[in-house]
Amino acid sequence: MSELAADLRAWRSGRPVAARRGGSGYRFRRLVMRHKLATGLVVALAASLAAGIVGFAWQAGHARQQAVRATQEAEHARLAADAANAQTEFLRELLRAFTPSNTELARLDRDTILKEAVKRAERRLEGYPDVLASVKLQVADTYMIMQKYEQAGVLLDQVAADLEGLEGDHHRISGRIHLARANGMSHSSSQPEAQKAALAHYRAALSLLDPVSDTDVWRMAKRHYSAFQLRQARPEEGLREAEEGAATCEPDSADFECIMLLRQRAAALQSLSRPAESLPLYEQVVDSLQAHFPENEYLLFRIGIELARVYTQSGRYDDAQRLYAQSLEVHGRLRDSPTTASIRALSGRAMALMRLGRFDEALASASEALAQAEATLGKDSTEVANRAEDLGQVYAAMGNLPKAIELNKLGLDTLRRVLGPGDHLNIAILLGRRATLLSNAGDPARALPLHRIANEGMARTLGTESRRYALRMSRTARTELALGMLGDARTHFDEAMRIYRKLAVDNDSAPSYILANRALVRLAQGEREQARADVMEGWHGVVAATMESDARAMRALLWALQMHCAAPASQDCGALEEAAGRLLASDATLPPVEKDKLETFMAGR
């Protein structure tokens, strides 16, 4: 009993019990039970010390990592600074070598200067392969601009070979190489093999470049790829690429590539016959360039011509001729002699002046364009053919159809010599215009076979779902109408309107012209109400497109007045007469023939 009592006292006091055999673990647990507070303090202290040790070890490791990273960043910064200094010194040396005071400079052509620049870069930048590669790529791009694709290709091969022996990631330079190769191939040859290879290089460039880390080059690749798609007659794809590139830009961005992507979107919309959407984009591009890159006058000249062309298509002929004139002034400051671009601008201004009825000015401008084309490019060139045709259009608008037919023949003969046998879109276009001239000259029987040949040629080269083909159908129908072939004329007018409605073309007076002529067929077939509906649809379309001063639009107004207002109680007659009065009282320079007809009609009301 005494032993039991002793064990009970021991258990209560937290000591080992004699009745139980236990090892050191049992005795340690009883010790903890006997000194709970002290044991808790010891455990907490131990845990704190352990945490401190772990934290210290982690901080020490982190500090070591930061030190290593700082050392690496310092090394990278030093290497970048060295590369930048090397590039700066190379540029200084190059500028000293080609300073205007150097008398040898005047005797060097651009090709020699570029070759010398590459040699100096190879000497100065030998230890900086990335910088040397960038310099060679810049020179290759310059060769591309000069259309010296062989020299550009040699440099690109050198850069590609140099990269193979280097360590590290050089995706950006590789992407630029693919982009340069694509641009060179797409511009230097129209052969299917070259275009297919260019497509592969464009896609390779975009797969290598990142829109975040390589923003400017990626945007540039998107822009060039979009332009390539337009040249391949794939405007939907071109628009998509331009929009994807522009999506990375801030609104009203001053970034050069963002402005150029905006221009590319405008060009794609223009190719899709959507001038109402492309026009404000072009105007925004011109405003941005003038605000942020006013020194780039050559680019302003080129885009000014593009905007003037859209103004012409949109019926804003006065804006078009004024912008053409301004662009030609800029070109005169840049170049001492005409270029293909300036010759086209001169001819474009002539077409705008013709539509304004300023025939003397139009004739002088178109004649000068033809003379410059012959002197600059030689008589056997497509530019001479096209400028001869433009001059013929001015003579036709002035009523001198024999002279217009003579110039059309000159253009056709030139094209056939230059382009040779086979289907060519330009030949189909000029054949169609010859047919229209013959029809207007009172010889529809000779015109109709030419219309059909032109239709077939355009269908084979351009397809049958374009604005240009729709116009071709309407002109054929007009000749068929003159020959009394009402069924054929009705079929072709219907086909032309089907194409226009499918394309949803806006800012174009051609549908009003087609509808007015289809109304003649319907009148001859006894469908008077349907005829009135056609002319009214044409006129309302003109009003919606704000093109009341266009010659074909005025023709639509005349038809609407003559046909619709002849019916009793015509609800729209007052609105039509008000529109005619407003047009005649405006300051717009109207086509004289149409204006005389409109004044005569209104005088008899």
Side-chain angles (χ1 to χ4, degrees):
M1 290 295 291
S2 60
E3 293 176 356
L4 176 62
D7 281 346
L8 286 172
R9 286 192 296 272
W11 181 78
R12 286 176 181 172
S13 62
R15 297 177 181 277
V17 178
R20 177 181 176 179
R21 293 181 180 180
S24 59
Y26 169 70
R27 288 193 296 274
F28 178 76
R29 286 196 299 273
R30 301 310 294 173
L31 176 66
V32 169
M33 291 294 294
R34 191 166 62 251
H35 303 287
K36 289 182 180 178
L37 179 60
T39 303
L41 291 173
V42 170
V43 169
L45 179 62
S48 177
L49 288 173
I53 292 170
V54 170
F56 177 78
W58 179 85
Q59 289 179 351
H62 183 63
R64 284 194 298 272
Q65 290 177 354
Q66 286 184 322
V68 171
R69 188 179 299 112
T71 302
Q72 291 175 341
E73 290 177 353
E75 180 64 14
H76 290 160
R78 185 186 66 77
L79 291 174
D82 287 348
N85 290 334
Q87 188 172 12
T88 301
E89 187 57 33
F90 159 68
L91 291 174
R92 286 175 179 168
E93 180 182 317
L94 197 64
L95 289 172
R96 284 195 298 269
F98 297 118
T99 181
S101 61
N102 190 333
T103 56
E104 295 182 0
L105 179 64
R107 296 196 294 270
L108 298 178
D109 58 22
R110 287 182 295 178
D111 193 37
T112 303
I113 291 174
L114 290 174
K115 289 179 180 177
E116 181 62 24
V118 171
K119 290 179 182 178
R120 289 172 182 268
E122 289 173 338
R123 290 197 300 268
R124 170 63 64 178
L125 304 172
E126 183 179 1
Y128 306 93
D130 287 353
V131 180
L132 178 59
S134 294
V135 170
K136 287 185 175 181
L137 278 172
Q138 290 292 343
V139 176
D141 288 341
T142 304
Y143 275 128
M144 292 285 186
I145 295 171
M146 296 166 60
Q147 297 184 356
K148 293 191 173 184
Y149 302 110
E150 184 177 351
Q151 292 92 323
V154 170
L155 278 178
L156 294 174
D157 289 340
Q158 289 179 12
V159 176
D162 293 342
L163 288 181
E164 289 180 359
L166 296 180
E167 296 181 356
D169 184 8
H170 301 282
H171 72 277
R172 193 172 193 269
I173 295 178
S174 298
R176 288 185 61 192
I177 293 172
H178 281 291
L179 179 58
R181 289 192 189 281
N183 288 335
M185 289 176 177
S186 66
H187 287 95
S188 62
S189 173
S190 59
Q191 295 299 317
E193 295 79 9
Q195 299 302 307
K196 186 176 180 180
L199 177 63
H201 281 296
Y202 278 123
R203 289 175 174 169
L206 288 167
S207 70
L208 287 167
L209 298 169
D210 182 76
V212 177
S213 60
D214 310 311
T215 305
D216 284 344
V217 183
W218 180 83
R219 286 173 179 164
M220 182 168 60
K222 278 286 189 182
R223 172 168 63 88
H224 285 296
Y225 188 34
S226 172
F228 172 77
Q229 296 285 19
L230 293 190
R231 291 194 298 273
Q232 297 298 306
R234 293 192 288 264
E236 291 87 358
E237 290 87 343
L239 179 60
R240 183 179 63 249
E241 294 297 328
E243 288 179 339
E244 287 179 0
T248 64
C249 299
E250 295 293 329
D252 301 320
S253 173
D255 180 85
F256 180 79
E257 281 303 326
C258 287
I259 296 172
M260 290 298 95
L261 279 166
L262 194 66
R263 173 209 186 184
Q264 195 58 41
R265 284 180 59 203
L269 289 166
Q270 187 68 8
S271 296
L272 289 166
S273 299
R274 293 159 62 180
E277 297 173 69
S278 70
L279 182 56
L281 295 182
Y282 268 124
E283 291 176 329
Q284 184 180 343
V285 170
V286 171
D287 290 342
S288 297
L289 286 175
Q290 289 175 337
H292 304 294
F293 303 96
E295 72 284 353
N296 197 336
E297 287 194 312
Y298 181 67
L299 185 58
L300 281 166
F301 161 74
R302 290 175 57 192
I303 298 179
I305 290 176
E306 293 174 15
L307 175 56
R309 195 177 301 124
V310 181
Y311 277 143
T312 299
Q313 187 174 343
S314 300
R316 294 172 57 175
Y317 302 122
D318 197 48
D319 288 332
Q321 70 85 19
R322 182 172 58 251
L323 190 53
Y324 274 127
Q326 292 172 358
S327 298
L328 286 166
E329 288 179 5
V330 172
H331 187 274
R333 293 197 296 270
L334 297 172
R335 302 291 293 268
D336 295 330
S337 58
T339 62
T340 301
S342 69
I343 293 168
R344 291 177 180 176
L346 196 60
S347 189
R349 183 166 187 259
M351 296 297 99
L353 289 167
M354 177 191 74
R355 289 176 171 87
L356 289 168
R358 294 161 60 175
F359 294 120
D360 289 342
E361 295 173 80
L363 190 62
S365 186
S367 299
E368 180 64 19
L370 176 58
Q372 288 185 7
E374 290 178 336
T376 305
L377 305 168
K379 293 192 174 182
D380 283 348
S381 74
T382 56
E383 280 300 313
V384 168
N386 292 331
R387 302 297 71 85
E389 177 60 25
D390 287 348
L391 179 57
Q393 288 188 56
V394 178
Y395 275 113
M398 296 172 67
N400 190 343
L401 294 177
K403 184 65 175 178
I405 292 172
E406 175 189 330
L407 286 163
N408 175 270
K409 183 178 185 303
L410 170 62
L412 270 172
D413 291 344
T414 303
L415 281 182
R416 284 168 173 153
R417 285 197 305 272
V418 174
L419 300 178
D423 291 323
H424 301 285
L425 178 59
N426 283 353
I427 289 179
I429 291 170
L430 263 64
L431 273 173
R433 288 177 179 168
R434 183 172 186 81
T436 300
L437 288 171
L438 289 170
S439 185
N440 292 341
D443 198 352
R446 283 180 60 199
L448 188 57
L450 291 178
H451 274 305
R452 289 172 175 167
I453 295 172
N455 294 347
E456 292 170 0
M458 186 170 288
R460 286 192 295 267
T461 56
L462 186 64
T464 58
E465 297 296 317
S466 67
R467 173 182 175 275
R468 181 164 275 171
Y469 189 76
L471 282 173
R472 188 89 289 289
M473 288 295 98
S474 69
R475 286 164 181 156
T476 303
R478 180 70 179 169
T479 299
E480 290 166 337
L481 178 59
L483 291 168
M485 302 168 62
L486 299 182
D488 291 337
R490 174 72 173 270
T491 298
H492 286 127
F493 280 134
D494 288 346
E495 176 67 6
M497 284 309 301
R498 181 196 67 77
I499 296 170
Y500 264 101
R501 289 194 168 109
K502 179 179 178 181
L503 296 174
V505 178
D506 52 15
N507 281 67
D508 193 336
S509 62
S512 69
Y513 169 78
I514 295 168
L515 287 165
N517 281 286
R518 190 171 71 175
L520 288 175
V521 179
R522 286 183 154 167
L523 276 178
Q525 293 176 331
E527 301 175 1
R528 183 170 184 82
E529 288 304 314
Q530 292 90 333
R532 288 176 56 199
D534 271 354
V535 294
M536 289 308 298
E537 181 186 349
W539 168 242
H540 286 305
V542 166
V543 173
T546 64
M547 296 182 63
E548 294 94 333
S549 62
D550 180 81
R552 288 181 297 198
M554 288 183 66
R555 207 171 299 146
L557 173 58
L558 272 169
W559 272 109
L561 283 165
Q562 292 169 345
M563 192 175 297
H564 195 70
C565 293
S570 298
Q571 294 181 354
D572 293 323
C573 189
L576 289 168
E577 290 181 339
E578 182 183 347
R582 185 173 62 250
L583 182 60
L584 291 171
S586 71
D587 295 331
T589 306
L590 306 175
V593 175
E594 307 301 334
K595 183 179 180 181
D596 289 344
K597 290 179 181 178
L598 191 57
E599 287 176 339
T600 301
F601 180 83
M602 292 300 293
R605 294 295 294 169

